[in-house]
Every structure is written in C-alpha cells, then in structure tokens.
Amino acid sequence: MSYRTIARSAEAEIEIKKSRFLAYLSPAADESEARETIAEVRAAYPKARHHCTAFVLDPDSRTQRFSDDGEPAGTAGAPILDVLTGHDLTYVVAIVTRYFGGTLLGAGGLVRAYGQATSEAVGDASIITRHELVPVRADVDYAQANALDRAAANRGWTTRADYGGQVGLDILVPVAEVELALAMYADLTAGRAEPSVGEVEWV
C-alpha cells in the first residue's frame, strides 16, 4: 500500500476582482495537527474575512473535513477538498484566506477562485509517495552487506545500514515479500545471518 502527501508546506496567492486569496498547504499527521495549523493561519491573518479549509488524513484518505467559514455553502471548503483529493493527497491540510475586495464573485466565481488558489499551492508543493514497508534486519560482515545491497537493489528494494564492527543491515520490503528477503539473507550469507522482521513502516 502507498499514499501521496506533501514533503513540506507550500503556498500561493491569487487576486480576483481585488479579492486576495492566500492558499497555504501543510503536512498534517492527524486531526489535531490539522486544526492547530488552521488556528495558526487564522492568528497570522486576523483581519481577513474568511479562512476556508479542508484536510485529508489516513493512508486511504478516509478522513476528510472542510469548512466554508462564512462563504456560501459549497463554494469554498468543498472546492479546496476537491483539489486535494483530485491530486490523491492525504495527510495534508489546506487553508485559503480571503481578503474581500468589495466585489461579489458569485457562487461559480468563488468555487473557481478557491479551487484555483489551492491548485496553485499544490503546484508549488513537493509531492512524495510513502510506501508501506517492513524492515528485515540482520548483522552481517561488509562483504555480505555489499552483496545483499546489490541483490536488494536488483529487486527494487531499499536498504539502510549502521556501520560498526559489523553492518546492521535493514532491507525494506513490501509485506508480501518478507519471505523472499529472509531467503535472500539465507542464500547470501550461507545461513549464518539471523534476520529479524520489524514493524511496518511508512517510508
């Protein structure tokens, strides 16, 4: 299993008929962090009329929340959320702050403005994919570590290592391929390695 998220915060600003829309995206590990980020943005722009928000959480994006914050229903939070889900993003919160310019934009205009501001912030973001992997770890000598590293790379697996008198080698594999990793250790160390299987990680 895998999911897409953003590596760091991103922002964008657009102006439509003198209304300014400031979009801010940030990673959010849980609902508490998302709401804390929203509160921080509100505090940073206290004179803005609206702070419309959306966030998506969980690897399968099952937690989704949005707020129109005083804009007509469905014209702000929903379009922001649509952009996040349209880019298959999760563990992310988006806030679009609006400074009213004196001209009403209408429902369609608001939908386009909030969506465009969010889209431009997503365009500024560094998007990464995290995979559900299991570390299979053993202490091996340097020659064995090199051989295992090459073999793992040939399978498309990632490794990480701690170097000392021996090498503490983790081979990070999908859950369904743990047995293959154990067999690789056995084959390339002539059965001398004693690998252990760790907890699932998002890498």
Side-chain angles (χ1 to χ4, degrees):
M1 188 174 181
S2 64
Y3 66 81
R4 282 159 49 92
T5 189
I6 60 174
R8 62 190 69 86
S9 60
E11 52 192 296
E13 178 178 345
I14 63 172
E15 183 174 320
I16 299 176
K17 294 183 179 178
K18 297 185 180 180
S19 279
R20 293 170 60 213
F21 295 83
L22 287 66
Y24 180 78
L25 267 60
S26 180
D30 52 34
E31 187 160 345
S32 176
E33 185 174 345
R35 296 195 181 282
E36 183 177 320
T37 300
I38 292 167
E40 289 172 355
V41 172
R42 282 184 176 278
Y45 301 103
K47 294 183 179 179
R49 179 172 289 193
H50 305 284
H51 301 279
C52 303
T53 64
F55 59 84
V56 184
L57 301 171
D58 302 310
D60 59 0
S61 302
R62 69 177 177 273
T63 300
Q64 301 181 6
R65 305 278 188 272
F66 68 86
S67 168
D68 294 310
D69 193 38
E71 294 282 29
T75 63
I80 296 170
L81 180 63
D82 286 346
V83 173
L84 300 182
T85 57
H87 285 83
D88 295 321
L89 296 176
T90 189
Y91 291 112
V92 62
V93 56
I95 306 100
V96 180
T97 297
R98 181 189 181 192
Y99 283 93
F100 182 55
T103 301
L104 296 176
L105 301 183
L110 289 172
V111 169
R112 287 189 295 273
Y114 280 101
Q116 180 185 340
T118 309
S119 293
E120 292 198 11
V122 170
D124 182 59
S126 174
I127 296 175
I128 57 175
T129 301
R130 295 193 184 278
H131 300 275
E132 189 178 36
L133 301 176
V134 178
V136 182
R137 182 179 182 87
D139 292 327
V140 296
D141 64 34
Y142 280 73
Q144 292 168 341
N146 288 335
L148 286 159
D149 187 64
R150 287 193 300 272
N154 288 338
R155 286 189 171 271
W157 295 340
T158 302
T159 61
R160 62 190 178 200
D162 300 319
Y163 295 95
Q166 285 192 303
V167 180
L169 184 70
D170 284 330
I171 301 176
L172 297 158
V173 301
V175 176
E177 298 180 8
V178 168
E179 292 301 323
L180 290 175
L182 293 172
M184 180 184 289
Y185 271 113
D187 290 344
L188 296 181
T189 67
R192 289 192 294 274
E194 298 179 357
S196 60
V197 179
E199 298 293 325
V200 170
E201 301 177 13
W202 287 102
V203 180

